[in-house]
Amino acid sequence: MPSTDYQGSSSPLTNLGRSFLPLRRDQVHSMESPIGGSPSNEAELESFQRQVADRFHDLASVPSDELLSLPWVRKLIDAFLCCQEEFRVILFNNRTPVKKPPMDRLIADYNERAVKALDVCNAIRDGIEQIRQWQKLIEIVLCALGGDNNSYQRSLGEGQFRRARKALVDLAIAMLDEKDSGQALAHRNRSFGRHNNSSSHSKDHHHRSLGHFRSLSWSVSRSWSAARQLQAIGNNLAVPRGNEVLATNGLAMPVYTMGSVLLFVMWALVAAIPCQDRGLQVHFNFPRQFPWAAPIISLHERILEESKKRDRKNACGLLREIYQMEKCSRLLGELADSVQFPLNEEKEKEVKQRVNELKQVSDAMKEDLEPLEKQVREVFHRIVRNRTEGLDSL
Amino acid sequence: MGKSQNGENLGTETVSDGGDEQNNPDELSSEPGFKFDQILKDVDQFIETLDSGENNFTCIDQFLEMVDSEIAAYELRKASAKFGLNMEEFFEAVKLLWTIIRRLEELPSDSGATSCLNRAGSEHHRAMLLLENEFRTLLDINTDRNEGETKLKTVEEFPYFSPESVSIMNRIGSTMIFAGYEAECCIAYSGLRLKALDAELSKLSFENINVDDAERMSWESLEVEIGNWLHIMKHCTNNLFSEERTLCNSVFSEHPSIAQRLFCELSTSLTMRLLNFPNALVLPRQYSTEKLFKFLDIYEALRDLNNMEIGNYLSAKEFMSDTFTVQCRIGETAVSIFSQLENSIESDNAGRIPVAGGAVHPLTRYTMNYLKYACEYKDTLEQVFQKHNEMEGLTVQKVQENYIEKDDRFLPASPFALKLVEVMDLLDANIEMKSKLYRSPSLRYIFLMNNGRYILQKLKESTDIYDMLGHSWSRKRTSELRQYHKLYQRDTWSNVLQTISHEGVQVNGKVSKPILKERFKNFNALFEEILKTQSTWVVSDGQLKSELRVSISSVMIPAYRSFVGRFQSYFDNSKQAGKYIKYQPEDIEELIEQLFEGNTTSMIRRS
């Protein structure tokens, strides 16, 4: 069976379509396979398992500095979309048995999980938007301290440092988890007050931070919880029993596989990107007999481990670029706090170095954030499309 | 400069170096008086003669001194009332400061400008901070009320800013952008406008509904949410977006591309929230046929949203793509709901029991009323079906059936019109099938006439359907009705007419009394039978009923009158005549009027 590549199309019509699969009724019948499993059916199912396994082996074989980076997350979503397409083809090729119990119930279960994933997609988009806002603050820092391409070589003055410091403080507050923002505000006023010329400023800044950016509950309801949603997606996700496998002629397996992949991918996204009530305690239990289980479990462990590290425990998202952003900006902030004017050459070099580091992170994010958002939208649309198609063709 | 609003020179107050609280805030900016002017003149000249040689930065220092004290004075003012009527000078000074900085930066690093530049930079940032804070305070209307400070004048309508506030924001924005702080300005603007839009939506009772939750809601709850959503959408497309755009354009009047970008981003953010709900509605669910109209409403709301000019900025593409996708999906849902009509017509066989009295079938009523209502959404339905065909890759074959006659021309039928024809054909077929349940041909024809007439009547009431089906369709139907009428007449009344035919009464040239008696007996029996049966039949359309009666009368009564007239004298006496001639022509006339009244004294009969 040929491997299917997901076509990242921007045309809304293919989101709706009937994309590359012919779904006209006359062609449908000719593709139905007989109920009693044929060799092609078995080969198809096996191929699917292998494809999934290959993709996740690929994802799992990255070094730790690449894990949960933006390019990696994009690859993860790509992998998901491919798996989903192949799954769709399998269902399509086995239309008749799919309608019969217990397969119909299994499919209905999977569909329910997929719908829950839609809200996760929306929440993730909110998180990406948050990151974009941080990006804007970083650009101010870069502009102030000569890290952008527009400024010519000049020595940095106090005014520029103050500008950078202000943006860095704003960034630090914005990056804290929403629940901590009350404390953060107090901290920030204190730290800013040190460099203030006028005490009236701190009072003015009071209004500022809250509601500063598009909050994480822009697209989801206020009571929505990523943690709960993940748990719901994983709810009752059980390995098919022997009789189920027999009764469905093996089709129960890809359904279980797709459900597991869905769960893991959503979990990883929640882990990486800031979202509302971002809890990672979800029960994963994938039996090792599946070829894809090992890499997924390994990824799961590695990500969990990352989340428990001392300096990442309170992170709002485990995305590597967030970590780098936070680290770079913190170091730069400390540096900026400590400088005396006029700057000596050594300090200036140090500042330039830190600014360059920050610029690298910023550039990386600039390149990947928008495509990432597009991919998440694609996931959303694919899921909806598969659901709306489901009624017509099945 | 240096004058108050009404042009008076405000005296010679000296420059104080930290802000003098006793000064009248409104006159603050005019405080340095003529010295302000002088300083600016000196600076302008200095900039002009700036070169890489010896430079005396004294006048710059003086200028910075002045700006410093101005800023300090403004800082001391209460928030949200910082910039009064004479702020223009201050903005000019700030802009000049930036110009100085840029010029100084051009000098080589050994020109001794460093400390001056440094100080200028600090003042600059301080000024920017002041401006940004003021900008935020002006934008964040709610804060004032919370803090209990002097309220800015607000207006009743969204976005609630007084023209003065907008004007000040405009000046601040321009100055910040000019002076290199565009990023801070835009971040502040976007953040606070988003917050305001959020608040506005909440006022309209908008709440995010998770897709997951929506999928599980009952139709009753969904219907309420749909109503709410439609209301909010209308408000957004009619008011909110245009007001927001106006605000963007007003605040950033000197920077249209920035205004454009900010508006694009805001509207995209807003739309994202609004689209979530309709996306949830297209997930598979059994929607019965009546739900069509709500979906068409939603489609129209999305279409209106999509038709708004958001502009060309990048995020506009995302906005349009997302809106368009949902709109199409809703359209598809509408198509499938409409198609259910066809299914329900096809499968309606009413348990094989025909409607009593040959009356209009409930299905006919339902379908015609449904179509009439649907055609109030004609334009939308045309769009929806057009789009559907495009996506399915269906093309309308250029065969004769697919052309519809309109005003003496034959035009290709639109996809929706064809759909309509399909539905009507199905209805016809179903009525035809149901008519066969009647054993009596006459009742069959009555049934066909009733339903056919009802359909034509409904067509007359809706010019949209009429136009879509075309003249020839209606003409065909009308002639069919006439045909049924004739058939009915023949089936019911030809036998009766035969009994009162003048032929065959005579035998060998003489009128046969037995035959005559037989004839009258037969006539009475047949006529009474018809009366008994067909009075229970129903013709609800008044015009059809009277047409039927009239055509029966116009044949029956003259024939009867002539028969009676001719042959009644052949009876021996009036008693005998009375025994056989039960009815007078006037009686016949009266009795015919009882036909098709639907008298329910008898049970449902298949006769």
Side-chain angles (χ1 to χ4, degrees), chain A residues 51-72:
Chain A
Q51 300 269 0
V52 175
D54 284 345
R55 292 203 182 93
F56 280 95
H57 269 297
D58 215 19
L59 287 164
S61 62
V62 296
S64 39
D65 61 346
E66 271 178 52
L67 185 65
L68 287 181
S69 67
L70 268 169
W72 185 87

Side-chain angles (χ1 to χ4, degrees), chain B residues 350-485:
Chain B
R352 317 239 77 195
I353 297 177
V355 178
V360 179
H361 197 277
L363 181 68
T364 312
R365 271 187 222 277
Y366 179 81
T367 307
M368 293 315 293
N369 284 314
Y370 187 88
L371 290 179
K372 194 168 153 216
Y373 193 17
C375 283
E376 288 177 24
Y377 290 87
K378 185 182 90 129
D379 294 330
T380 303
L381 280 165
E382 296 265 32
Q383 273 183 30
V384 165
F385 276 93
Q386 184 72 38
K387 181 101 248 142
H388 174 74
N389 273 18
E390 275 170 28
M391 280 174 19
E392 295 283 313
L394 300 171
T395 44
V396 175
Q397 291 172 300
K398 294 205 183 332
V399 292
Q400 204 205 348
E401 301 91 71
N402 293 343
Y403 278 74
I404 289 188
E405 189 194 339
K406 260 192 245 260
D407 308 322
D408 303 328
R409 284 150 60 219
F410 275 95
L411 299 168
S414 68
F416 179 57
L418 286 178
K419 213 31 144 143
L420 217 54
V421 170
E422 262 177 57
V423 170
M424 295 308 297
D425 285 345
L426 281 173
L427 184 62
D428 273 350
N430 189 275
I431 292 174
E432 179 76 29
M433 177 198 78
K434 290 203 178 99
S435 72
K436 300 207 171 106
L437 293 172
Y438 297 104
R439 279 210 234 123
S440 149
S442 289
L443 186 52
R444 207 180 143 233
Y445 298 129
I446 294 288
F447 176 74
L448 287 167
M449 274 191 278
N450 272 329
N451 284 275
R453 178 52 144 249
Y454 184 83
I455 290 174
L456 278 174
Q457 207 48 41
K458 282 292 163 189
L459 280 196
K460 264 203 225 138
E461 289 170 21
S462 164
T463 42
D464 288 325
I465 310 184
Y466 187 88
D467 285 341
M468 273 194 276
L469 293 173
H471 298 323
S472 46
W473 194 93
S474 310
R475 273 205 298 271
K476 182 160 163 275
R477 286 321 211 75
T478 312
S479 75
E480 265 171 25
L481 280 187
R482 264 185 261 130
Q483 188 70 356
Y484 294 143
H485 191 154

Side-chain angles (χ1 to χ4, degrees), chain A residues 119 122 163 166 208 218, chain B residues 136 184 208 211 273 276:
Chain A
D119 288 317
N122 284 338
R163 185 183 187 193
K166 173 174 163 293
R208 260 209 284 167
W218 183 254
Chain B
R136 283 177 178 278
E184 279 91 339
N208 284 335
V211 178
R273 282 183 101 181
N276 214 21

Side-chain angles (χ1 to χ4, degrees), chain B residues 77-238:
Chain B
R77 279 197 194 173
K78 284 185 171 174
S80 88
K82 287 201 197 295
F83 296 126
L85 303 165
N86 291 319
M87 57 185 184
E88 205 50 47
E89 293 172 358
F90 180 67
F91 289 138
E92 287 308 312
V94 170
K95 281 183 172 164
L96 185 56
L97 177 57
W98 179 245
T99 312
I100 293 172
I101 291 175
R102 295 302 289 238
R103 288 304 306 274
L104 289 180
E105 277 173 344
E106 284 167 8
L107 296 178
S109 43
D110 58 354
S111 59
T114 314
S115 76
C116 187
L117 187 52
N118 202 33
R119 194 177 163 202
S122 292
E123 288 301 333
H124 173 65
H125 179 69
R126 200 165 150 220
M128 289 296 112
L129 214 54
L130 179 71
L131 289 182
E132 187 186 335
N133 284 341
E134 188 59 11
F135 193 58
R136 283 177 178 278
T137 311
L138 285 167
L139 272 172
D140 199 1
I141 288 191
N142 298 324
T143 329
D144 284 342
R145 305 198 180 125
N146 291 340
E147 299 268 319
E149 298 182 342
T150 37
K151 279 190 196 180
L152 279 172
K153 270 207 313 278
T154 56
V155 303
E156 284 308 310
E157 276 178 17
F158 181 84
Y160 314 118
F161 296 119
S162 67
E164 298 81 50
S165 295
V166 175
S167 165
I168 298 175
M169 284 193 268
N170 178 299
R171 302 309 306 131
I172 295 177
S174 282
T175 309
M176 282 183 81
I177 293 170
F178 177 86
Y181 272 58
E182 177 183 328
E184 279 91 339
C185 181
C186 291
I187 289 177
Y189 186 82
S190 292
L192 286 164
R193 285 319 299 155
L194 217 55
K195 191 169 148 199
L197 286 169
D198 185 30
E200 196 64 16
L201 283 184
S202 298
K203 254 202 231 166
L204 296 168
S205 330
F206 178 83
E207 259 178 40
N208 284 335
I209 301 177
N210 300 323
V211 178
D212 195 14
D213 295 333
E215 218 214 359
R216 283 177 291 178
M217 280 168 95
S218 69
W219 175 256
E220 288 72 40
S221 316
L222 271 184
E223 205 168 0
V224 172
E225 297 298 338
I226 291 176
N228 203 30
W229 185 87
L230 286 169
H231 172 68
I232 291 171
M233 283 293 283
K234 189 147 163 240
H235 188 80
C236 284
T237 45
N238 288 350

